Every structure is written in structure tokens, then in C-alpha cells.
């Protein structure tokens, strides 16, 4: 049902400076940037690796674009750091229904738009051992809307 780690979401105050840290320190590069008004964030996706189901794993850097957003509230409370964990699935609505049936609160009544054409839904952190959890359905490969999601030949990254 859940087949991979899609991304780790990291709350930050300065997206460009944080992206620079990941690039200069680890060699991870931003493969995509967008503003998601509904979620109240400007975000950068740094692709870490491809996976054998055709998906990929990313770091997602999140900078709030308004004060009444979840990430702005998180920063005010906790400061910068890990904000959520996201698992990949081929069927986000089905996975949310199954997990909801196991007593975990699903925060969205229907999947919403996520990064790069994905569909996402969130699970309440209080029902997940304190971890805000996101489910992500990548767009079908033929939709061709996941920049950098194609396989990277081994050795291309200079990551440690
Ligand atoms: N991880 C773990 N716990 C969290 C949390 C997080 N990221 N955010 C809030 N909480 C906890 C708080 O610590 C607080 O706990 P206590 O009651 O014990 O003090 C509780 O949840 C409520 O906190 P709050 O400040 O009132 O939180 P919000 O009003 O922001 O509501 C939540 C929390 C999870 C329902 C809300 O953040 C939400 O709907 N998140 C989903 C959407 C989202 O995070 N979007 C940004 C990312 C977009 C993307 O990934 O694409
Ligand atoms: Co996310």
C-alpha cells in the first residue's frame, strides 16, 4: 500500500539559504520549486534518488508564505527542523481510506494538489506518534510532470 519514502518535509525561514546549505554540504540540488498557495508554502524539492517503482525520494524544503499557515505556526512553536514524513503510494485515496479505518484521523476529506502534479493527504500527528504524516501519489509517468524523476545513472551524484 505504501511503497517508499517520497520525501521528508523540512520547515525553514529562508528557502534559498537552506537550499544552499544542502547543496554546499551534501551536494543535493534543487530539482523543482513552486508556491502552493493552498498549503501556504514556497517549496523546493531536492531529489535524492530514484526508486525501482518509478518514483523518487526528495527533501522538501518549506518556507511559509503567510502567517496563518501550518508551517508558519510550526516555526513559531518549534523553530526550523523536520516538519513531516511523506510515504509514496499508487493510490492516495485508497490508502487514506484504509488508514482512516484503522482509527487515524485523515486531515483532508479528499486528496489535494501537492508538488509536481502529485496528489496528497495528511494524517494527524497526534494519531501517528507525534509525526505529521503525508501520503503522496505521484502522477502517472506518462503525465511527465515530475522534473528530475527519471532514473539518474549511478555515480552522477557526488553525494556522500
Ligand atoms: N509535527 C508534529 N506535531 C505537530 C506538527 C507537526 N508538523 N504541527 C503541529 N503539531 C502538534 C502541535 O505540537 C500541537 O500539539 P500540542 O497540542 O500537544 O501542543 C498540535 O499538533 C496542534 O498544534 P497547532 O499549532 O494548533 O497546529 P495547527 O493548527 O497547525 O494544526 C495540523 C496541526 C497538523 C492539523 C496542521 O498543521 C495541518 O493541517 N497540517 C497539514 C498541512 C501541512 O502541514 N501543510 C504544509 C506542508 C505542505 C506539503 O507538504 O506539501
Ligand atoms: Co510534503
Amino acid at each position: 500500500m505504501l511503497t517508499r519514502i517520497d520525501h521528508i518535509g523540512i520547515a525553514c525561514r529562508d528557502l534559498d539559504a537552506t537550499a544552499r546549505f544542502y547543496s554546499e554540504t551534501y551536494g543535493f540540488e534543487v530539482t523543482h520549486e513552486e508556491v502552493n498557495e493552498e498549503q501556504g508554502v514556497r517549496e523546493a524539492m531536492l531529489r535524492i534518488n530514484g526508486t525501482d517503482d518509478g518514483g523518487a525520494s526528495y527533501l522538501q524544503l518549506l518556507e511559509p508564505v503567510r502567517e496563518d499557515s501550518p508551517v508558519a505556526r510550526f516555526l513559531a512553536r518549534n523553530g526550523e527542523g523536520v516538519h513531516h514524513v511523506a510515504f509514496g503510494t499508487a493510490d492516495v485515496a485508497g490508502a487514506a481510506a484504509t488508514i482512516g479505518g484503522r482509527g487515524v484521523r485523515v486531515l483532508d476529506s479528499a486528496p489535494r494538489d501537492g508538488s509536481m502534479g502529485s496528489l496528497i493527504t495528511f494524517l494527524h500527528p497526534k494519531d501517528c506518534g507525534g509525526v505529521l504524516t503525508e501520503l503522496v501519489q505521484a502522477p502517472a509517468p506518462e503525465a511527465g510532470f515530475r522534473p528530475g524523476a527519471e532514473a539518474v545513472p549511478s555515480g552522477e551524484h557526488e553525494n556522500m
Side-chain angles (χ1 to χ4, degrees), residues 46-82:
L46 289 70
R47 187 170 178 279
I48 308 302
N49 70 296
T51 60
D52 54 14
D53 65 354
S57 297
Y58 300 85
L59 292 180
Q60 179 184 46
L61 308 181
L62 301 157
E63 177 192 86
V65 293
R66 50 168 203 270
E67 283 311 306
D68 65 339
S69 61
V71 173
R73 281 195 293 273
F74 180 91
L75 284 169
R77 236 180 215 262
N78 306 99
E80 296 182 309
V82 174

Side-chain angles (χ1 to χ4, degrees), residues 7 9 60 62 84 86 122 134:
H7 64 268
Q60 179 184 46
L62 301 157
H84 64 271
F122 286 90
E134 178 183 354

Side-chain angles (χ1 to χ4, degrees), residues 15 32-36 41-45 114-117 145:
L15 191 72
H32 179 78
E33 260 191 58
E34 70 184 82
V35 172
N36 186 326
V41 294
R42 183 162 84 95
E43 58 174 77
M45 299 297 278
S115 314
M116 298 178 286
F145 190 57

Side-chain angles (χ1 to χ4, degrees), residues 119-160:
L119 286 173
I120 61 174
T121 198
F122 286 90
L123 308 175
H124 202 293
K126 294 291 171 193
D127 297 341
C128 302
V131 179
L132 175 60
T133 304
E134 178 183 354
L135 309 177
V136 183
Q137 179 180 329
E142 57 272 22
F145 190 57
R146 273 209 137 186
E150 65 279 356
V152 171
S154 58
E156 189 174 304
H157 280 314
E158 288 176 30
N159 306 332
M160 285 178 281

